[in-house]
Short mmCIF file of all heavy atoms in Angstrom, two decimals:
data_model
loop_
_atom_site.label_atom_id
_atom_site.label_comp_id
_atom_site.label_asym_id
_atom_site.label_seq_id
_atom_site.Cartn_x
_atom_site.Cartn_y
_atom_site.Cartn_z
N MET A 14 12.42 -5.48 17.52
CA MET A 14 11.52 -5.50 16.38
C MET A 14 12.09 -6.46 15.33
O MET A 14 13.26 -6.39 15.01
CB MET A 14 11.37 -4.10 15.80
CG MET A 14 10.34 -4.03 14.70
SD MET A 14 10.07 -2.41 14.00
CE MET A 14 9.04 -1.67 15.22
N SER A 15 11.25 -7.31 14.82
CA SER A 15 11.70 -8.32 13.87
C SER A 15 11.70 -7.77 12.45
O SER A 15 11.10 -6.74 12.15
CB SER A 15 10.80 -9.56 13.95
OG SER A 15 9.51 -9.21 13.49
N ILE A 16 12.36 -8.49 11.57
CA ILE A 16 12.44 -8.09 10.16
C ILE A 16 11.05 -8.16 9.51
O ILE A 16 10.73 -7.34 8.65
CB ILE A 16 13.47 -8.94 9.39
CG1 ILE A 16 13.70 -8.39 7.99
CG2 ILE A 16 13.05 -10.39 9.32
CD1 ILE A 16 14.43 -7.09 7.96
N GLU A 17 10.22 -9.10 9.95
CA GLU A 17 8.86 -9.20 9.41
C GLU A 17 8.04 -7.96 9.75
O GLU A 17 7.28 -7.46 8.91
CB GLU A 17 8.14 -10.45 9.95
CG GLU A 17 8.71 -11.75 9.45
CD GLU A 17 9.80 -12.28 10.36
OE1 GLU A 17 10.13 -11.61 11.37
OE2 GLU A 17 10.34 -13.34 10.05
N ALA A 18 8.21 -7.45 10.95
CA ALA A 18 7.48 -6.24 11.36
C ALA A 18 7.97 -5.03 10.56
O ALA A 18 7.15 -4.21 10.12
CB ALA A 18 7.67 -6.00 12.85
N ILE A 19 9.25 -4.91 10.35
CA ILE A 19 9.79 -3.79 9.57
C ILE A 19 9.27 -3.84 8.14
O ILE A 19 8.85 -2.82 7.58
CB ILE A 19 11.33 -3.81 9.61
CG1 ILE A 19 11.81 -3.52 11.04
CG2 ILE A 19 11.92 -2.80 8.64
CD1 ILE A 19 13.28 -3.74 11.25
N ILE A 20 9.28 -5.03 7.55
CA ILE A 20 8.77 -5.18 6.18
C ILE A 20 7.29 -4.85 6.13
O ILE A 20 6.82 -4.16 5.22
CB ILE A 20 9.07 -6.60 5.64
CG1 ILE A 20 10.57 -6.77 5.43
CG2 ILE A 20 8.31 -6.85 4.34
CD1 ILE A 20 10.99 -8.19 5.11
N TRP A 21 6.52 -5.32 7.12
CA TRP A 21 5.08 -5.06 7.10
C TRP A 21 4.79 -3.57 7.25
O TRP A 21 3.93 -3.03 6.56
CB TRP A 21 4.36 -5.84 8.20
CG TRP A 21 2.90 -5.61 8.11
CD1 TRP A 21 2.03 -6.20 7.24
CD2 TRP A 21 2.13 -4.69 8.87
NE1 TRP A 21 0.76 -5.69 7.43
CE2 TRP A 21 0.79 -4.77 8.43
CE3 TRP A 21 2.43 -3.81 9.90
CZ2 TRP A 21 -0.23 -4.02 8.98
CZ3 TRP A 21 1.42 -3.05 10.46
CH2 TRP A 21 0.10 -3.15 9.98
N TYR A 22 5.49 -2.89 8.14
CA TYR A 22 5.27 -1.45 8.30
C TYR A 22 5.63 -0.69 7.02
O TYR A 22 4.97 0.28 6.66
CB TYR A 22 6.05 -0.90 9.49
CG TYR A 22 5.41 -1.24 10.81
CD1 TYR A 22 6.11 -1.97 11.78
CD2 TYR A 22 4.12 -0.84 11.11
CE1 TYR A 22 5.53 -2.28 12.99
CE2 TYR A 22 3.53 -1.14 12.32
CZ TYR A 22 4.24 -1.85 13.26
OH TYR A 22 3.65 -2.16 14.45
N THR A 23 6.66 -1.14 6.32
CA THR A 23 7.03 -0.51 5.05
C THR A 23 5.95 -0.73 4.00
O THR A 23 5.57 0.20 3.27
CB THR A 23 8.37 -1.08 4.55
OG1 THR A 23 9.36 -0.92 5.57
CG2 THR A 23 8.82 -0.40 3.29
N VAL A 24 5.42 -1.94 3.92
CA VAL A 24 4.34 -2.24 2.97
C VAL A 24 3.07 -1.49 3.34
O VAL A 24 2.36 -0.99 2.47
CB VAL A 24 4.10 -3.77 2.89
CG1 VAL A 24 2.87 -4.10 2.08
CG2 VAL A 24 5.32 -4.46 2.30
N LEU A 25 2.79 -1.35 4.63
CA LEU A 25 1.62 -0.59 5.06
C LEU A 25 1.75 0.88 4.64
O LEU A 25 0.80 1.46 4.12
CB LEU A 25 1.45 -0.68 6.57
CG LEU A 25 0.29 0.14 7.15
CD1 LEU A 25 -1.04 -0.42 6.66
CD2 LEU A 25 0.36 0.14 8.66
N LEU A 26 2.90 1.46 4.83
CA LEU A 26 3.14 2.84 4.41
C LEU A 26 2.97 2.99 2.91
O LEU A 26 2.36 3.95 2.43
CB LEU A 26 4.53 3.29 4.84
CG LEU A 26 4.90 4.73 4.59
CD1 LEU A 26 4.00 5.65 5.40
CD2 LEU A 26 6.34 4.95 4.93
N ASP A 27 3.45 2.02 2.14
CA ASP A 27 3.30 2.05 0.69
C ASP A 27 1.84 1.94 0.27
O ASP A 27 1.39 2.66 -0.62
CB ASP A 27 4.13 0.93 0.06
CG ASP A 27 4.03 0.93 -1.45
OD1 ASP A 27 4.37 1.97 -2.07
OD2 ASP A 27 3.61 -0.09 -2.01
N SER A 28 1.09 1.05 0.91
CA SER A 28 -0.31 0.89 0.53
C SER A 28 -1.15 2.10 0.90
O SER A 28 -2.05 2.49 0.15
CB SER A 28 -0.90 -0.39 1.14
OG SER A 28 -0.96 -0.27 2.55
N VAL A 29 -0.87 2.72 2.02
CA VAL A 29 -1.58 3.95 2.40
C VAL A 29 -1.24 5.06 1.42
O VAL A 29 -2.11 5.82 0.98
CB VAL A 29 -1.26 4.34 3.85
CG1 VAL A 29 -1.76 5.73 4.17
CG2 VAL A 29 -1.87 3.33 4.82
N GLY A 30 0.04 5.17 1.05
CA GLY A 30 0.45 6.18 0.08
C GLY A 30 -0.18 5.96 -1.29
O GLY A 30 -0.61 6.91 -1.94
N ALA A 31 -0.25 4.72 -1.72
CA ALA A 31 -0.87 4.41 -3.01
C ALA A 31 -2.35 4.76 -3.00
O ALA A 31 -2.88 5.30 -3.98
CB ALA A 31 -0.67 2.93 -3.35
N ASN A 32 -3.03 4.47 -1.90
CA ASN A 32 -4.45 4.82 -1.81
C ASN A 32 -4.64 6.33 -1.78
O ASN A 32 -5.58 6.84 -2.39
CB ASN A 32 -5.08 4.19 -0.57
CG ASN A 32 -5.59 2.81 -0.85
OD1 ASN A 32 -6.60 2.66 -1.50
ND2 ASN A 32 -4.87 1.82 -0.38
N PHE A 33 -3.79 7.04 -1.09
CA PHE A 33 -3.90 8.50 -1.06
C PHE A 33 -3.76 9.09 -2.45
O PHE A 33 -4.57 9.92 -2.87
CB PHE A 33 -2.83 9.10 -0.13
CG PHE A 33 -2.88 10.58 -0.07
CD1 PHE A 33 -3.82 11.23 0.71
CD2 PHE A 33 -1.99 11.34 -0.82
CE1 PHE A 33 -3.87 12.61 0.75
CE2 PHE A 33 -2.04 12.72 -0.79
CZ PHE A 33 -2.98 13.36 0.00
N VAL A 34 -2.77 8.63 -3.19
CA VAL A 34 -2.56 9.15 -4.55
C VAL A 34 -3.71 8.73 -5.47
O VAL A 34 -4.19 9.53 -6.26
CB VAL A 34 -1.20 8.67 -5.11
CG1 VAL A 34 -1.06 9.02 -6.57
CG2 VAL A 34 -0.06 9.29 -4.32
N ALA A 35 -4.18 7.50 -5.36
CA ALA A 35 -5.25 7.02 -6.24
C ALA A 35 -6.56 7.75 -5.98
O ALA A 35 -7.31 8.01 -6.92
CB ALA A 35 -5.45 5.52 -6.05
N TRP A 36 -6.84 8.10 -4.74
CA TRP A 36 -8.11 8.73 -4.42
C TRP A 36 -8.09 10.25 -4.52
O TRP A 36 -9.09 10.86 -4.86
CB TRP A 36 -8.56 8.33 -3.02
CG TRP A 36 -9.08 6.93 -2.98
CD1 TRP A 36 -8.37 5.81 -2.68
CD2 TRP A 36 -10.40 6.50 -3.27
NE1 TRP A 36 -9.17 4.71 -2.77
CE2 TRP A 36 -10.43 5.09 -3.12
CE3 TRP A 36 -11.57 7.15 -3.65
CZ2 TRP A 36 -11.56 4.34 -3.33
CZ3 TRP A 36 -12.71 6.40 -3.85
CH2 TRP A 36 -12.70 5.01 -3.69
N PHE A 37 -6.96 10.87 -4.19
CA PHE A 37 -6.96 12.33 -4.07
C PHE A 37 -6.18 13.08 -5.13
O PHE A 37 -6.46 14.25 -5.37
CB PHE A 37 -6.46 12.74 -2.68
CG PHE A 37 -7.34 12.25 -1.58
CD1 PHE A 37 -6.89 11.28 -0.71
CD2 PHE A 37 -8.62 12.72 -1.43
CE1 PHE A 37 -7.70 10.82 0.31
CE2 PHE A 37 -9.45 12.27 -0.42
CZ PHE A 37 -8.98 11.30 0.46
N CYS A 38 -5.20 12.47 -5.75
CA CYS A 38 -4.44 13.20 -6.78
C CYS A 38 -3.95 12.29 -7.91
O CYS A 38 -2.74 12.18 -8.15
CB CYS A 38 -3.28 13.96 -6.15
SG CYS A 38 -2.28 13.02 -5.01
N PRO A 39 -4.88 11.63 -8.62
CA PRO A 39 -4.45 10.76 -9.72
C PRO A 39 -3.89 11.54 -10.91
O PRO A 39 -3.02 11.03 -11.62
CB PRO A 39 -5.71 10.00 -10.10
CG PRO A 39 -6.83 10.86 -9.65
CD PRO A 39 -6.32 11.57 -8.42
N GLN A 40 -4.36 12.77 -11.13
CA GLN A 40 -3.84 13.57 -12.24
C GLN A 40 -2.38 13.93 -12.01
O GLN A 40 -1.58 13.98 -12.95
CB GLN A 40 -4.66 14.84 -12.44
CG GLN A 40 -6.03 14.60 -13.04
CD GLN A 40 -7.03 14.12 -11.99
OE1 GLN A 40 -6.83 14.31 -10.80
NE2 GLN A 40 -8.09 13.48 -12.45
N TRP A 41 -2.02 14.20 -10.76
CA TRP A 41 -0.62 14.51 -10.45
C TRP A 41 0.27 13.33 -10.82
O TRP A 41 1.32 13.50 -11.42
CB TRP A 41 -0.46 14.84 -8.97
CG TRP A 41 0.96 15.01 -8.57
CD1 TRP A 41 1.70 16.14 -8.64
CD2 TRP A 41 1.83 13.99 -8.05
NE1 TRP A 41 2.98 15.90 -8.20
CE2 TRP A 41 3.08 14.58 -7.82
CE3 TRP A 41 1.67 12.65 -7.75
CZ2 TRP A 41 4.16 13.88 -7.32
CZ3 TRP A 41 2.75 11.95 -7.25
CH2 TRP A 41 3.98 12.57 -7.04
N TYR A 42 -0.17 12.13 -10.47
CA TYR A 42 0.59 10.91 -10.75
C TYR A 42 0.74 10.70 -12.25
O TYR A 42 1.81 10.36 -12.74
CB TYR A 42 -0.12 9.71 -10.11
CG TYR A 42 0.53 8.38 -10.38
CD1 TYR A 42 1.70 8.01 -9.73
CD2 TYR A 42 -0.04 7.46 -11.26
CE1 TYR A 42 2.29 6.79 -9.97
CE2 TYR A 42 0.54 6.24 -11.50
CZ TYR A 42 1.70 5.90 -10.84
OH TYR A 42 2.29 4.70 -11.08
N GLN A 43 -0.34 10.95 -13.00
CA GLN A 43 -0.30 10.73 -14.45
C GLN A 43 0.56 11.77 -15.16
O GLN A 43 1.21 11.45 -16.15
CB GLN A 43 -1.72 10.75 -15.01
CG GLN A 43 -2.53 9.57 -14.56
CD GLN A 43 -4.01 9.72 -14.88
OE1 GLN A 43 -4.47 10.79 -15.24
NE2 GLN A 43 -4.75 8.63 -14.72
N THR A 44 0.57 13.01 -14.67
CA THR A 44 1.36 14.05 -15.35
C THR A 44 2.82 14.05 -14.92
O THR A 44 3.70 14.29 -15.74
CB THR A 44 0.76 15.45 -15.09
OG1 THR A 44 0.71 15.69 -13.69
CG2 THR A 44 -0.61 15.56 -15.71
N LYS A 45 3.09 13.79 -13.65
CA LYS A 45 4.48 13.82 -13.16
C LYS A 45 5.25 12.54 -13.45
O LYS A 45 6.47 12.57 -13.61
CB LYS A 45 4.51 14.09 -11.64
CG LYS A 45 3.97 15.43 -11.25
CD LYS A 45 4.89 16.53 -11.70
CE LYS A 45 4.34 17.86 -11.22
NZ LYS A 45 5.17 18.98 -11.61
N LEU A 46 4.57 11.43 -13.49
CA LEU A 46 5.23 10.14 -13.70
C LEU A 46 4.55 9.36 -14.83
O LEU A 46 4.03 8.26 -14.62
CB LEU A 46 5.21 9.32 -12.41
CG LEU A 46 5.85 9.97 -11.19
CD1 LEU A 46 5.51 9.19 -9.95
CD2 LEU A 46 7.35 10.08 -11.37
N PRO A 47 4.56 9.88 -16.06
CA PRO A 47 3.85 9.17 -17.14
C PRO A 47 4.47 7.83 -17.49
O PRO A 47 3.76 6.89 -17.86
CB PRO A 47 3.93 10.14 -18.31
CG PRO A 47 5.10 11.00 -18.03
CD PRO A 47 5.19 11.09 -16.53
N TRP A 48 5.78 7.70 -17.36
CA TRP A 48 6.43 6.43 -17.67
C TRP A 48 6.04 5.36 -16.66
O TRP A 48 5.89 4.19 -16.99
CB TRP A 48 7.94 6.59 -17.74
CG TRP A 48 8.51 7.16 -16.47
CD1 TRP A 48 8.65 8.49 -16.14
CD2 TRP A 48 8.99 6.43 -15.34
NE1 TRP A 48 9.18 8.61 -14.88
CE2 TRP A 48 9.41 7.38 -14.37
CE3 TRP A 48 9.11 5.08 -15.06
CZ2 TRP A 48 9.94 7.00 -13.14
CZ3 TRP A 48 9.64 4.71 -13.83
CH2 TRP A 48 10.04 5.67 -12.89
N LEU A 49 5.86 5.74 -15.40
CA LEU A 49 5.45 4.79 -14.38
C LEU A 49 3.96 4.48 -14.49
O LEU A 49 3.54 3.34 -14.26
CB LEU A 49 5.78 5.34 -12.98
CG LEU A 49 5.63 4.39 -11.81
CD1 LEU A 49 6.51 3.16 -12.00
CD2 LEU A 49 5.96 5.09 -10.53
N ASP A 50 3.17 5.49 -14.86
CA ASP A 50 1.74 5.28 -15.04
C ASP A 50 1.45 4.31 -16.18
O ASP A 50 0.46 3.59 -16.15
CB ASP A 50 1.05 6.62 -15.30
CG ASP A 50 -0.45 6.47 -15.38
OD1 ASP A 50 -1.03 5.84 -14.48
OD2 ASP A 50 -1.04 6.99 -16.35
N LYS A 51 2.35 4.26 -17.15
CA LYS A 51 2.18 3.33 -18.27
C LYS A 51 2.30 1.88 -17.80
O LYS A 51 1.55 1.01 -18.26
CB LYS A 51 3.24 3.63 -19.32
CG LYS A 51 3.17 2.75 -20.53
CD LYS A 51 4.27 3.12 -21.52
CE LYS A 51 4.27 2.19 -22.71
NZ LYS A 51 5.34 2.52 -23.65
N PHE A 52 3.21 1.61 -16.87
CA PHE A 52 3.44 0.24 -16.41
C PHE A 52 2.67 -0.10 -15.13
O PHE A 52 2.30 -1.24 -14.90
CB PHE A 52 4.93 0.01 -16.19
CG PHE A 52 5.73 0.10 -17.44
CD1 PHE A 52 6.56 1.18 -17.67
CD2 PHE A 52 5.64 -0.87 -18.42
CE1 PHE A 52 7.29 1.29 -18.83
CE2 PHE A 52 6.37 -0.78 -19.59
CZ PHE A 52 7.20 0.31 -19.80
N LEU A 53 2.45 0.89 -14.26
CA LEU A 53 1.75 0.68 -12.99
C LEU A 53 0.64 1.70 -12.83
O LEU A 53 0.77 2.66 -12.06
CB LEU A 53 2.72 0.80 -11.81
CG LEU A 53 3.82 -0.23 -11.70
CD1 LEU A 53 4.80 0.14 -10.61
CD2 LEU A 53 3.23 -1.60 -11.43
N PRO A 54 -0.46 1.54 -13.55
CA PRO A 54 -1.55 2.50 -13.39
C PRO A 54 -2.21 2.35 -12.02
O PRO A 54 -2.42 1.23 -11.54
CB PRO A 54 -2.51 2.14 -14.52
CG PRO A 54 -2.23 0.72 -14.81
CD PRO A 54 -0.78 0.51 -14.51
N LEU A 55 -2.48 3.47 -11.37
CA LEU A 55 -3.14 3.45 -10.07
C LEU A 55 -4.65 3.46 -10.27
O LEU A 55 -5.22 4.43 -10.74
CB LEU A 55 -2.74 4.66 -9.24
CG LEU A 55 -1.35 4.66 -8.64
CD1 LEU A 55 -1.11 5.92 -7.85
CD2 LEU A 55 -1.14 3.45 -7.76
N LYS A 56 -5.28 2.40 -9.92
CA LYS A 56 -6.73 2.29 -9.96
C LYS A 56 -7.24 2.17 -8.53
O LYS A 56 -6.63 1.49 -7.69
CB LYS A 56 -7.19 1.08 -10.77
CG LYS A 56 -6.70 1.08 -12.20
CD LYS A 56 -7.28 2.27 -12.95
CE LYS A 56 -6.78 2.28 -14.37
NZ LYS A 56 -6.93 3.54 -15.02
N LYS A 57 -8.33 2.82 -8.23
CA LYS A 57 -8.85 2.84 -6.87
C LYS A 57 -9.16 1.44 -6.35
O LYS A 57 -8.86 1.13 -5.20
CB LYS A 57 -10.10 3.71 -6.81
CG LYS A 57 -9.83 5.17 -7.06
CD LYS A 57 -11.11 5.97 -7.08
CE LYS A 57 -10.81 7.40 -7.45
NZ LYS A 57 -12.02 8.20 -7.58
N SER A 58 -9.72 0.61 -7.20
CA SER A 58 -10.10 -0.73 -6.74
C SER A 58 -8.88 -1.57 -6.37
O SER A 58 -8.88 -2.25 -5.34
CB SER A 58 -10.93 -1.43 -7.81
OG SER A 58 -10.20 -1.50 -9.02
N TRP A 59 -7.84 -1.53 -7.18
CA TRP A 59 -6.65 -2.32 -6.89
C TRP A 59 -5.90 -1.78 -5.68
O TRP A 59 -5.34 -2.55 -4.89
CB TRP A 59 -5.71 -2.38 -8.09
CG TRP A 59 -6.22 -3.29 -9.15
CD1 TRP A 59 -6.63 -2.94 -10.39
CD2 TRP A 59 -6.43 -4.70 -9.05
NE1 TRP A 59 -7.08 -4.06 -11.08
CE2 TRP A 59 -6.96 -5.14 -10.27
CE3 TRP A 59 -6.22 -5.63 -8.04
CZ2 TRP A 59 -7.28 -6.47 -10.51
CZ3 TRP A 59 -6.54 -6.97 -8.29
CH2 TRP A 59 -7.06 -7.37 -9.50
N CYS A 60 -5.93 -0.48 -5.50
CA CYS A 60 -5.29 0.10 -4.32
C CYS A 60 -6.03 -0.31 -3.05
O CYS A 60 -5.41 -0.56 -2.02
CB CYS A 60 -5.20 1.61 -4.44
SG CYS A 60 -3.96 2.14 -5.63
N LEU A 61 -7.36 -0.38 -3.12
CA LEU A 61 -8.13 -0.85 -1.96
C LEU A 61 -7.85 -2.32 -1.66
O LEU A 61 -7.72 -2.71 -0.50
CB LEU A 61 -9.62 -0.65 -2.20
CG LEU A 61 -10.16 0.72 -1.87
CD1 LEU A 61 -11.65 0.80 -2.21
CD2 LEU A 61 -9.95 1.07 -0.43
N VAL A 62 -7.74 -3.13 -2.70
CA VAL A 62 -7.40 -4.54 -2.50
C VAL A 62 -6.02 -4.67 -1.86
O VAL A 62 -5.82 -5.46 -0.94
CB VAL A 62 -7.47 -5.31 -3.84
CG1 VAL A 62 -6.87 -6.70 -3.71
CG2 VAL A 62 -8.90 -5.39 -4.33
N TYR A 63 -5.09 -3.87 -2.32
CA TYR A 63 -3.73 -3.86 -1.76
C TYR A 63 -3.76 -3.49 -0.28
O TYR A 63 -3.12 -4.14 0.55
CB TYR A 63 -2.89 -2.89 -2.59
CG TYR A 63 -1.45 -2.71 -2.17
CD1 TYR A 63 -0.70 -3.74 -1.66
CD2 TYR A 63 -0.82 -1.48 -2.35
CE1 TYR A 63 0.62 -3.57 -1.31
CE2 TYR A 63 0.50 -1.29 -2.01
CZ TYR A 63 1.21 -2.34 -1.48
OH TYR A 63 2.52 -2.16 -1.14
N LEU A 64 -4.53 -2.46 0.07
CA LEU A 64 -4.63 -2.04 1.47
C LEU A 64 -5.31 -3.12 2.31
O LEU A 64 -4.85 -3.42 3.42
CB LEU A 64 -5.39 -0.73 1.57
CG LEU A 64 -5.57 -0.18 2.99
CD1 LEU A 64 -4.22 0.15 3.60
CD2 LEU A 64 -6.46 1.05 2.97
N MET A 65 -6.37 -3.72 1.79
CA MET A 65 -7.07 -4.75 2.56
C MET A 65 -6.19 -5.98 2.79
O MET A 65 -6.19 -6.55 3.89
CB MET A 65 -8.37 -5.16 1.85
CG MET A 65 -9.38 -4.04 1.75
SD MET A 65 -9.76 -3.26 3.31
CE MET A 65 -10.78 -4.48 4.03
N LEU A 66 -5.44 -6.38 1.78
CA LEU A 66 -4.52 -7.52 1.96
C LEU A 66 -3.42 -7.18 2.96
O LEU A 66 -3.02 -8.03 3.76
CB LEU A 66 -3.91 -7.92 0.62
CG LEU A 66 -4.84 -8.66 -0.33
CD1 LEU A 66 -4.16 -8.86 -1.69
CD2 LEU A 66 -5.26 -9.99 0.25
N THR A 67 -2.95 -5.96 2.93
CA THR A 67 -1.92 -5.54 3.88
C THR A 67 -2.46 -5.54 5.31
O THR A 67 -1.79 -6.00 6.23
CB THR A 67 -1.40 -4.14 3.52
OG1 THR A 67 -0.91 -4.15 2.19
CG2 THR A 67 -0.30 -3.70 4.45
N LEU A 68 -3.68 -5.04 5.48
CA LEU A 68 -4.29 -5.06 6.81
C LEU A 68 -4.57 -6.48 7.29
O LEU A 68 -4.40 -6.80 8.47
CB LEU A 68 -5.57 -4.22 6.80
CG LEU A 68 -5.37 -2.72 6.60
CD1 LEU A 68 -6.71 -2.02 6.50
CD2 LEU A 68 -4.53 -2.14 7.72
N TRP A 69 -5.00 -7.34 6.38
CA TRP A 69 -5.22 -8.74 6.74
C TRP A 69 -3.92 -9.39 7.19
O TRP A 69 -3.88 -10.12 8.19
CB TRP A 69 -5.83 -9.50 5.56
CG TRP A 69 -5.93 -10.97 5.81
CD1 TRP A 69 -6.85 -11.60 6.58
CD2 TRP A 69 -5.06 -11.97 5.30
NE1 TRP A 69 -6.61 -12.95 6.57
CE2 TRP A 69 -5.51 -13.20 5.79
CE3 TRP A 69 -3.95 -11.95 4.47
CZ2 TRP A 69 -4.88 -14.39 5.48
CZ3 TRP A 69 -3.32 -13.14 4.16
CH2 TRP A 69 -3.79 -14.35 4.68
N LEU A 70 -2.85 -9.14 6.45
CA LEU A 70 -1.55 -9.69 6.84
C LEU A 70 -1.11 -9.13 8.19
O LEU A 70 -0.51 -9.85 9.00
CB LEU A 70 -0.50 -9.37 5.76
CG LEU A 70 0.90 -9.90 6.00
CD1 LEU A 70 0.88 -11.42 6.08
CD2 LEU A 70 1.82 -9.44 4.90
N GLY A 71 -1.42 -7.87 8.45
CA GLY A 71 -1.11 -7.29 9.75
C GLY A 71 -1.86 -7.98 10.88
O GLY A 71 -1.31 -8.20 11.96
N CYS A 72 -3.11 -8.35 10.63
CA CYS A 72 -3.87 -9.10 11.64
C CYS A 72 -3.26 -10.46 11.90
O CYS A 72 -3.17 -10.91 13.05
CB CYS A 72 -5.32 -9.25 11.20
SG CYS A 72 -6.26 -7.73 11.24
N VAL A 73 -2.83 -11.11 10.84
CA VAL A 73 -2.18 -12.42 10.99
C VAL A 73 -0.88 -12.28 11.78
O VAL A 73 -0.61 -13.06 12.71
CB VAL A 73 -1.91 -13.05 9.60
CG1 VAL A 73 -1.04 -14.28 9.72
CG2 VAL A 73 -3.21 -13.38 8.91
N LEU A 74 -0.08 -11.29 11.46
CA LEU A 74 1.17 -11.09 12.18
C LEU A 74 0.93 -10.68 13.64
O LEU A 74 1.69 -11.05 14.53
CB LEU A 74 2.03 -10.03 11.47
CG LEU A 74 2.61 -10.45 10.12
CD1 LEU A 74 3.30 -9.27 9.46
CD2 LEU A 74 3.57 -11.61 10.29
N HIS A 75 -0.14 -9.93 13.87
CA HIS A 75 -0.48 -9.55 15.24
C HIS A 75 -0.90 -10.75 16.06
O HIS A 75 -0.53 -10.88 17.25
CB HIS A 75 -1.59 -8.49 15.23
CG HIS A 75 -2.00 -8.05 16.58
ND1 HIS A 75 -1.15 -7.39 17.43
CD2 HIS A 75 -3.19 -8.17 17.23
CE1 HIS A 75 -1.79 -7.13 18.55
NE2 HIS A 75 -3.03 -7.59 18.45
N ARG A 76 -1.66 -11.67 15.47
CA ARG A 76 -2.09 -12.88 16.18
C ARG A 76 -0.91 -13.76 16.52
O ARG A 76 -0.93 -14.49 17.52
CB ARG A 76 -3.09 -13.67 15.35
CG ARG A 76 -4.44 -13.05 15.32
CD ARG A 76 -5.40 -13.91 14.55
NE ARG A 76 -6.70 -13.27 14.48
CZ ARG A 76 -7.72 -13.78 13.86
NH1 ARG A 76 -7.63 -14.95 13.26
NH2 ARG A 76 -8.88 -13.14 13.83
N GLN A 77 0.11 -13.72 15.67
CA GLN A 77 1.31 -14.52 15.94
C GLN A 77 2.29 -13.76 16.82
O GLN A 77 3.41 -14.23 17.05
CB GLN A 77 1.99 -14.91 14.63
CG GLN A 77 1.18 -15.86 13.81
CD GLN A 77 1.89 -16.26 12.53
OE1 GLN A 77 2.89 -15.68 12.14
NE2 GLN A 77 1.35 -17.25 11.86
N GLU A 78 1.90 -12.59 17.28
CA GLU A 78 2.70 -11.74 18.18
C GLU A 78 4.03 -11.34 17.57
O GLU A 78 5.06 -11.31 18.22
CB GLU A 78 2.87 -12.43 19.52
CG GLU A 78 1.57 -12.67 20.26
CD GLU A 78 1.74 -13.39 21.56
OE1 GLU A 78 2.88 -13.77 21.91
OE2 GLU A 78 0.72 -13.60 22.24
N VAL A 79 3.98 -11.01 16.27
CA VAL A 79 5.16 -10.55 15.57
C VAL A 79 5.23 -9.03 15.59
O VAL A 79 6.29 -8.44 15.71
CB VAL A 79 5.19 -11.06 14.11
CG1 VAL A 79 6.33 -10.47 13.33
CG2 VAL A 79 5.27 -12.58 14.10
N LEU A 80 4.05 -8.39 15.50
CA LEU A 80 4.01 -6.93 15.46
C LEU A 80 3.95 -6.35 16.86
O LEU A 80 3.12 -6.74 17.67
CB LEU A 80 2.78 -6.46 14.67
CG LEU A 80 2.75 -6.80 13.20
CD1 LEU A 80 1.45 -6.31 12.58
CD2 LEU A 80 3.93 -6.20 12.47
N PRO A 81 4.82 -5.39 17.15
CA PRO A 81 4.79 -4.75 18.47
C PRO A 81 3.83 -3.56 18.49
O PRO A 81 4.23 -2.42 18.44
CB PRO A 81 6.24 -4.30 18.65
CG PRO A 81 6.71 -4.03 17.28
CD PRO A 81 6.00 -5.01 16.38
N TRP A 82 2.54 -3.78 18.55
CA TRP A 82 1.56 -2.69 18.53
C TRP A 82 1.60 -2.07 19.88
O TRP A 82 0.98 -1.45 20.45
CB TRP A 82 0.18 -3.20 18.17
CG TRP A 82 0.12 -3.82 16.83
CD1 TRP A 82 0.94 -4.78 16.34
CD2 TRP A 82 -0.79 -3.53 15.78
NE1 TRP A 82 0.59 -5.11 15.07
CE2 TRP A 82 -0.48 -4.35 14.71
CE3 TRP A 82 -1.85 -2.67 15.65
CZ2 TRP A 82 -1.17 -4.33 13.52
CZ3 TRP A 82 -2.54 -2.65 14.47
CH2 TRP A 82 -2.20 -3.49 13.42
#
């Protein structure tokens, strides 16, 4: 497994986690981490863009046969 694949899987896990928090428990994020919410507010639209860009990059890496699916 290459370093690019490890980094991509880590970013994919982060984007899925960000979408889960943004869609299902935004109040938990705002109350438990107010200092982080001040600098990195979770908005549904930006989390979707983040996930879509991550999936697009995964398609590119898959076409180049970097990802071991």
Side-chain angles (χ1 to χ4, degrees):
M14 186 178 281
S15 66
I16 189 70
E17 292 90 359
I19 293 170
I20 291 171
W21 183 78
Y22 284 121
T23 305
V24 171
L25 177 66
L26 185 64
D27 181 58
S28 66
V29 169
N32 272 287
F33 179 79
V34 172
W36 285 93
F37 297 112
C38 48
Q40 288 80 20
W41 174 86
Y42 177 75
Q43 292 169 348
T44 58
K45 296 290 183 180
L46 302 168
W48 56 273
L49 190 58
D50 185 49
K51 180 181 177 182
F52 296 108
L53 295 172
L55 286 180
K56 302 296 179 198
K57 293 176 184 176
S58 57
W59 286 114
C60 287
L61 276 177
V62 169
Y63 179 34
L64 180 63
M65 296 307 285
L66 286 173
T67 303
L68 292 175
W69 173 76
L70 181 61
C72 289
V73 171
L74 290 174
H75 179 64
R76 286 183 182 179
Q77 293 182 348
E78 298 178 357
V79 174
L80 295 178
W82 299 50

